Amino acid sequence: MKVKIESTRTIKPAYEGISPSPTLHFIPLSVFDKATYNTHIAVIYAYRPPTPPNATIEYGLKRALSEYREWAGRLGENEKGDPVILMNEKGVKFVEASVNDKLDHVMPLKPSSVILSLHPSLKDVEELVQVQLTRFTCGSLVVGFTAHHLVADGQSTSNFLVAWGRASRGLDMNPLPIHDRTIFNPRKPPHFEFDHRGVEYKSKKMVKNCPNVDNIVDDDIIVHKIHFTLDFLSKLKARASSSSNGHSNSKPSSTFESLVAHLWRAITKARGLGGFETTHVRISVNGRMRMNPRVPNEYFGNLVLWAFPRARVKDLLREPLPYAAKLIHDAVTNVNNNYFKSFIDFSTHKVEEEGLVPTADMNKSVLCPNLEVDSWLRFPFYDLDFGGGSPYLFMPSYFPTEGMIFLLPSFIGDGSIDAFIPLFQENLAMFKKIVYSLD
């Protein structure tokens, strides 16, 4: 697939009425912003014709940026050297491109490096948001979108995307975002109820997860897409919720817990890890509903911490599925209001003092023997409608990090789930053999 770049320009907010006061020069990053991934995340949307013209989508973006002004700024530092978002309205990158072919000839897009040509590069990016509109000869449109994770998490980014679609259709962007990042104040005196060293933060000394992972090249890692039907997920949930070998959960496992437990076991087996090795799963936990007082979904920024269910390999594989599902359930449940408050206190008083750095790192090529699960199952990504209807396909870009799993609702819309799973090529055959087994 050869993508021709037609134009590249900078898009700035378009305000109705009076522009905002220039007195607000920057917004400090919150403790949750500082702990997350310092990188762009890219996603791909595909739309069938008829689609609105690029000018309509561009104007909608300008209008959305007037409410989400942070995206039009830049990352920088204040006079104290603290990381901030500079509210200088330098704008976002807007690229128009074309492909001299029909979309059906290259879709459904499989997870491969080809996808990288459908959005701007993620390397050395000054802009906090980038957009690429790629037109095909059949009239179809692919929208590539990249956003810097330090500015916003998945909930906030999906809210912005929905607002962009509404603005493109001439609708109000309600509900509007809540921008105050100063609401996460430490307690007096601070209470370090949990140890956050080695969890959200670590010392600057790098630690390898797995031996023999040097000299990894992209061809060694295959991003495999798996479709889990609603019927399979229902059976998996029943299996994870059953009483087996003395393991019974107090309440039925969720679909998410059941699927992650299943994938954790299947990938661990496919990797052929030693029985006495320890493996864990990094799972994002949205703090909006967990903090007291509750933080509205409209809060714009990062408000995510992570659960780390862990087990010895031999226990994970020997025990039945409910064992892994309960480990996941308990770990996620424990990331509660007290945990979030402890994290705020720790981040405010200990991180700089001890010279700690975040454990969230997208630059790793291998997570073995561990996993990371990025669940986009509850985000309204499919609600991005520019005026021609919802996308018929939505997917992450190509991230060949072994062990980093993305879970998305299938575009079929029947409750089925698509999983994007990067694995070493030598482990893929075994994984495919067992991934649909309920044993």
Side-chain angles (χ1 to χ4, degrees):
M1 179 174 60
K2 186 175 182 180
V3 177
K4 179 183 179 182
I5 302 300
E6 305 287 353
S7 69
T8 300
R9 57 185 179 275
T10 298
I11 300 299
K12 298 186 178 183
Y15 299 98
E16 291 184 351
I18 301 175
S19 298
S21 169
T23 56
L24 180 61
H25 296 299
F26 60 81
I27 294 177
L29 294 185
S30 76
V31 292
F32 297 102
D33 299 327
K34 296 174 186 177
T36 196
Y37 300 93
N38 186 7
T39 187
H40 271 251
I41 300 295
V43 295
I44 301 292
Y45 286 92
Y47 295 85
R48 298 290 192 193
T51 59
N54 288 2
T56 297
I57 299 173
E58 178 182 348
Y59 179 71
L61 179 59
K62 291 179 178 179
R63 289 286 299 114
L65 290 173
S66 71
E67 296 291 350
Y68 292 82
R69 294 179 56 221
E70 293 92 335
W71 287 133
R74 296 291 185 267
L75 292 175
E77 295 181 347
N78 62 14
E79 64 278 1
K80 298 180 181 178
D82 298 324
V84 300
I85 303 170
L86 301 172
M87 303 294 285
N88 52 24
E89 300 204 341
K90 287 192 173 182
V92 307
K93 182 179 289 186
F94 189 82
V95 179
E96 295 177 296
S98 63
V99 173
N100 189 26
D101 202 348
K102 294 182 178 180
L103 184 60
D104 285 342
H105 292 172
V106 295
M107 300 291 271
L109 288 170
K110 295 182 179 180
S112 73
S113 58
V114 172
I115 297 174
L116 299 176
S117 64
L118 293 174
H119 62 73
S121 172
L122 306 184
K123 297 179 180 179
D124 301 321
V125 184
E126 179 181 306
E127 297 88 352
L128 301 181
V129 155
Q130 303 178 108
V131 172
Q132 180 173 321
L133 308 183
T134 306
R135 298 281 178 176
F136 291 75
T137 56
C138 58
S140 298
L141 169 67
V142 169
V143 178
F145 175 84
T146 89
H148 206 295
H149 211 316
L150 288 183
V151 178
D153 58 18
Q155 178 73 61
S156 292
T157 302
S158 60
N159 289 348
F160 166 74
L161 290 167
V162 172
W164 177 16
R166 291 183 61 85
S168 299
R169 304 194 318 268
L171 303 175
D172 291 337
M173 289 179 280
N174 292 325
L176 295 177
I178 297 171
H179 296 280
D180 186 2
R181 300 190 186 216
T182 66
I183 60 176
F184 307 115
N185 296 312
R187 295 167 291 190
K188 295 181 181 179
H191 183 200
F192 310 126
E193 187 176 351
F194 302 91
D195 189 359
H196 301 274
R197 300 172 188 86
V199 184
E200 296 87 11
Y201 284 98
K202 63 183 179 181
S203 66
K204 292 183 179 180
K205 183 179 179 181
M206 300 300 292
V207 179
K208 273 190 178 181
N209 281 327
C210 215
N212 303 320
V213 298
D214 295 325
N215 304 317
I216 296 297
V217 296
D218 284 350
D219 290 344
D220 294 330
I221 299 171
I222 305 296
V223 182
H224 187 57
K225 181 181 177 182
I226 294 284
H227 179 73
F228 294 102
T229 65
L230 185 59
D231 179 64
F232 179 86
L233 292 170
S234 297
K235 292 177 180 177
L236 194 65
K237 184 176 179 179
R239 179 67 62 91
S241 302
S242 66
S243 177
S244 178
N245 291 2
H247 296 287
S248 63
N249 299 332
S250 58
K251 65 178 183 177
S253 297
S254 68
T255 299
F256 172 79
E257 292 165 353
S258 306
L259 180 55
V260 173
H262 174 68
L263 290 174
W264 189 13
R265 298 173 81 238
I267 293 172
T268 299
K269 185 174 182 179
R271 282 168 164 172
L273 298 175
F276 289 95
E277 286 191 76
T278 297
T279 171
H280 72 242
V281 187
R282 185 183 187 112
I283 300 174
S284 299
V285 180
N286 188 340
R288 289 166 177 79
M289 293 183 292
R290 292 174 179 259
M291 294 191 69
N292 185 19
R294 186 183 181 281
V295 179
N297 280 339
E298 292 75 38
Y299 170 75
F300 185 72
N302 286 281
L303 188 42
V304 166
L305 293 179
W306 298 272
F308 290 88
R310 63 185 69 239
R312 287 194 303 181
V313 169
K314 69 173 188 175
D315 296 330
L316 186 67
L317 300 183
R318 179 185 59 197
E319 300 292 347
L321 186 63
Y323 172 80
K326 188 175 189 305
L327 289 176
I328 292 167
H329 173 81
D330 291 349
V332 172
T333 299
N334 289 337
V335 186
N336 54 23
N337 175 65
N338 290 342
Y339 191 90
F340 275 88
K341 296 292 177 63
S342 174
F343 171 81
I344 293 171
D345 292 352
F346 180 87
S347 299
T348 303
H349 294 281
K350 295 294 183 180
V351 170
E352 185 175 352
E353 174 186 313
E354 298 182 12
L356 302 176
V357 296
T359 59
D361 183 4
M362 286 285 286
N363 293 320
K364 293 181 180 179
S365 60
V366 177
L367 300 183
C368 174
N370 305 315
L371 296 173
E372 178 165 335
V373 176
D374 292 293
S375 174
W376 295 350
L377 297 175
R378 295 186 177 182
F379 299 148
F381 283 111
Y382 280 102
D383 292 346
L384 178 53
D385 178 1
F386 296 113
S390 298
Y392 86 92
L393 184 143
F394 166 73
M395 63 186 296
S397 181
Y398 178 63
F399 293 108
T401 299
E402 191 271 353
M404 179 172 285
I405 301 170
F406 289 90
L407 300 180
L408 286 71
S410 171
F411 70 91
I412 299 172
D414 63 349
S416 57
I417 293 175
D418 292 328
F420 293 78
I421 304 173
L423 291 173
F424 284 125
Q425 187 165 328
E426 63 188 36
N427 299 332
L428 192 54
M430 173 59 75
F431 176 74
K432 288 181 179 180
K433 182 178 179 181
I434 62 178
V435 69
Y436 290 120
S437 173
L438 290 170
D439 295 333

